[in-house]
mmCIF file of all heavy atoms in Angstrom:
data_model
loop_
_atom_site.group_PDB
_atom_site.id
_atom_site.type_symbol
_atom_site.label_atom_id
_atom_site.label_comp_id
_atom_site.label_asym_id
_atom_site.label_seq_id
_atom_site.Cartn_x
_atom_site.Cartn_y
_atom_site.Cartn_z
ATOM 1 N N SER A 66 144.972 -124.468 116.441
ATOM 2 C CA SER A 66 144.669 -123.884 117.745
ATOM 3 C C SER A 66 143.187 -124.032 118.073
ATOM 4 O O SER A 66 142.821 -124.070 119.246
ATOM 5 C CB SER A 66 145.149 -122.441 117.860
ATOM 6 O OG SER A 66 144.679 -121.674 116.805
ATOM 7 N N LEU A 67 142.339 -124.120 117.037
ATOM 8 C CA LEU A 67 140.919 -124.401 117.302
ATOM 9 C C LEU A 67 140.738 -125.839 117.766
ATOM 10 O O LEU A 67 139.972 -126.116 118.694
ATOM 11 C CB LEU A 67 140.080 -124.172 116.043
ATOM 12 C CG LEU A 67 139.537 -122.771 115.851
ATOM 13 C CD1 LEU A 67 138.749 -122.705 114.568
ATOM 14 C CD2 LEU A 67 138.674 -122.366 117.024
ATOM 15 N N VAL A 70 141.584 -126.736 121.419
ATOM 16 C CA VAL A 70 140.585 -126.409 122.434
ATOM 17 C C VAL A 70 139.717 -127.627 122.761
ATOM 18 O O VAL A 70 139.244 -127.790 123.879
ATOM 19 C CB VAL A 70 139.726 -125.215 121.957
ATOM 20 C CG1 VAL A 70 138.612 -124.896 122.919
ATOM 21 C CG2 VAL A 70 140.603 -124.002 121.774
ATOM 22 N N VAL A 151 148.733 -123.702 122.538
ATOM 23 C CA VAL A 151 148.384 -122.601 121.645
ATOM 24 C C VAL A 151 149.534 -121.605 121.582
ATOM 25 O O VAL A 151 149.910 -121.117 120.511
ATOM 26 C CB VAL A 151 147.076 -121.921 122.114
ATOM 27 C CG1 VAL A 151 146.813 -120.673 121.318
ATOM 28 C CG2 VAL A 151 145.918 -122.877 121.988
ATOM 29 N N GLY U 72 146.886 -110.817 117.888
ATOM 30 C CA GLY U 72 146.492 -111.876 118.817
ATOM 31 C C GLY U 72 145.527 -112.857 118.187
ATOM 32 O O GLY U 72 145.626 -114.068 118.381
ATOM 33 N N PHE U 73 144.620 -112.325 117.377
ATOM 34 C CA PHE U 73 143.626 -113.156 116.699
ATOM 35 C C PHE U 73 144.302 -114.144 115.755
ATOM 36 O O PHE U 73 143.895 -115.299 115.635
ATOM 37 C CB PHE U 73 142.665 -112.234 115.935
ATOM 38 C CG PHE U 73 141.636 -112.951 115.132
ATOM 39 C CD1 PHE U 73 140.495 -113.449 115.739
ATOM 40 C CD2 PHE U 73 141.788 -113.118 113.773
ATOM 41 C CE1 PHE U 73 139.533 -114.112 115.008
ATOM 42 C CE2 PHE U 73 140.836 -113.788 113.031
ATOM 43 C CZ PHE U 73 139.704 -114.284 113.653
ATOM 44 N N PHE U 79 148.953 -111.576 123.866
ATOM 45 C CA PHE U 79 148.050 -111.255 124.975
ATOM 46 C C PHE U 79 148.723 -111.570 126.297
ATOM 47 O O PHE U 79 149.816 -112.128 126.330
ATOM 48 C CB PHE U 79 146.744 -112.041 124.838
ATOM 49 C CG PHE U 79 145.941 -111.630 123.646
ATOM 50 C CD1 PHE U 79 145.046 -112.504 123.054
ATOM 51 C CD2 PHE U 79 146.073 -110.368 123.104
ATOM 52 C CE1 PHE U 79 144.309 -112.125 121.953
ATOM 53 C CE2 PHE U 79 145.342 -109.979 122.001
ATOM 54 C CZ PHE U 79 144.449 -110.866 121.421
ATOM 55 N N ALA U 84 147.306 -116.296 123.116
ATOM 56 C CA ALA U 84 146.812 -115.775 121.856
ATOM 57 C C ALA U 84 145.697 -116.654 121.346
ATOM 58 O O ALA U 84 145.340 -117.661 121.955
ATOM 59 C CB ALA U 84 147.935 -115.729 120.831
ATOM 60 N N GLY U 85 145.168 -116.270 120.210
ATOM 61 C CA GLY U 85 144.228 -117.129 119.506
ATOM 62 C C GLY U 85 142.787 -116.663 119.623
ATOM 63 O O GLY U 85 142.441 -115.815 120.438
ATOM 64 N N ILE U 86 141.981 -117.246 118.751
ATOM 65 C CA ILE U 86 140.560 -116.913 118.750
ATOM 66 C C ILE U 86 139.938 -117.325 120.073
ATOM 67 O O ILE U 86 139.066 -116.662 120.610
ATOM 68 C CB ILE U 86 139.844 -117.649 117.607
ATOM 69 C CG1 ILE U 86 140.596 -117.411 116.307
ATOM 70 C CG2 ILE U 86 138.416 -117.187 117.465
ATOM 71 C CD1 ILE U 86 140.142 -118.315 115.213
ATOM 72 N N GLY U 87 140.411 -118.452 120.610
ATOM 73 C CA GLY U 87 139.892 -118.953 121.869
ATOM 74 C C GLY U 87 139.983 -117.921 122.970
ATOM 75 O O GLY U 87 139.102 -117.809 123.818
ATOM 76 N N ARG U 88 141.075 -117.139 122.924
ATOM 77 C CA ARG U 88 141.280 -116.122 123.935
ATOM 78 C C ARG U 88 140.286 -114.979 123.764
ATOM 79 O O ARG U 88 139.781 -114.418 124.734
ATOM 80 C CB ARG U 88 142.709 -115.620 123.788
ATOM 81 C CG ARG U 88 143.149 -114.645 124.816
ATOM 82 C CD ARG U 88 143.454 -115.324 126.115
ATOM 83 N NE ARG U 88 143.835 -114.295 127.071
ATOM 84 C CZ ARG U 88 143.772 -114.465 128.370
ATOM 85 N NH1 ARG U 88 143.350 -115.606 128.863
ATOM 86 N NH2 ARG U 88 144.122 -113.507 129.172
ATOM 87 N N LEU U 89 139.999 -114.632 122.502
ATOM 88 C CA LEU U 89 139.093 -113.506 122.260
ATOM 89 C C LEU U 89 137.657 -113.844 122.626
ATOM 90 O O LEU U 89 136.906 -112.981 123.064
ATOM 91 C CB LEU U 89 139.159 -113.079 120.785
ATOM 92 C CG LEU U 89 140.273 -112.110 120.422
ATOM 93 C CD1 LEU U 89 140.248 -111.851 118.941
ATOM 94 C CD2 LEU U 89 140.120 -110.808 121.169
ATOM 95 N N ILE U 90 137.247 -115.101 122.411
ATOM 96 C CA ILE U 90 135.873 -115.442 122.762
ATOM 97 C C ILE U 90 135.791 -116.143 124.115
ATOM 98 O O ILE U 90 134.723 -116.477 124.578
ATOM 99 C CB ILE U 90 135.205 -116.314 121.671
ATOM 100 C CG1 ILE U 90 136.049 -117.541 121.378
ATOM 101 C CG2 ILE U 90 134.947 -115.532 120.411
ATOM 102 C CD1 ILE U 90 135.437 -118.472 120.362
ATOM 103 N N GLY U 91 136.935 -116.329 124.767
ATOM 104 C CA GLY U 91 136.953 -116.924 126.098
ATOM 105 C C GLY U 91 136.428 -115.951 127.147
ATOM 106 O O GLY U 91 136.010 -114.840 126.822
ATOM 107 N N PRO U 92 136.449 -116.356 128.429
ATOM 108 C CA PRO U 92 135.858 -115.513 129.467
ATOM 109 C C PRO U 92 136.473 -114.129 129.587
ATOM 110 O O PRO U 92 135.793 -113.178 129.971
ATOM 111 C CB PRO U 92 136.074 -116.322 130.752
ATOM 112 C CG PRO U 92 136.985 -117.422 130.404
ATOM 113 C CD PRO U 92 136.882 -117.654 128.952
ATOM 114 N N THR U 93 137.763 -113.988 129.273
ATOM 115 C CA THR U 93 138.372 -112.673 129.438
ATOM 116 C C THR U 93 138.443 -111.889 128.126
ATOM 117 O O THR U 93 139.069 -110.845 128.064
ATOM 118 C CB THR U 93 139.791 -112.788 130.026
ATOM 119 O OG1 THR U 93 140.546 -113.663 129.179
ATOM 120 C CG2 THR U 93 139.763 -113.350 131.421
ATOM 121 N N GLY U 94 137.794 -112.403 127.088
ATOM 122 C CA GLY U 94 137.849 -111.727 125.793
ATOM 123 C C GLY U 94 137.217 -110.351 125.809
ATOM 124 O O GLY U 94 137.618 -109.477 125.051
#
Side-chain angles (χ1 to χ4, degrees):
Chain A
S66 53
L67 271 179
V70 176
V151 172
Chain U
F73 177 81
F79 294 155
I86 309 168
R88 185 76 182 159
L89 275 177
I90 54 178
T93 55

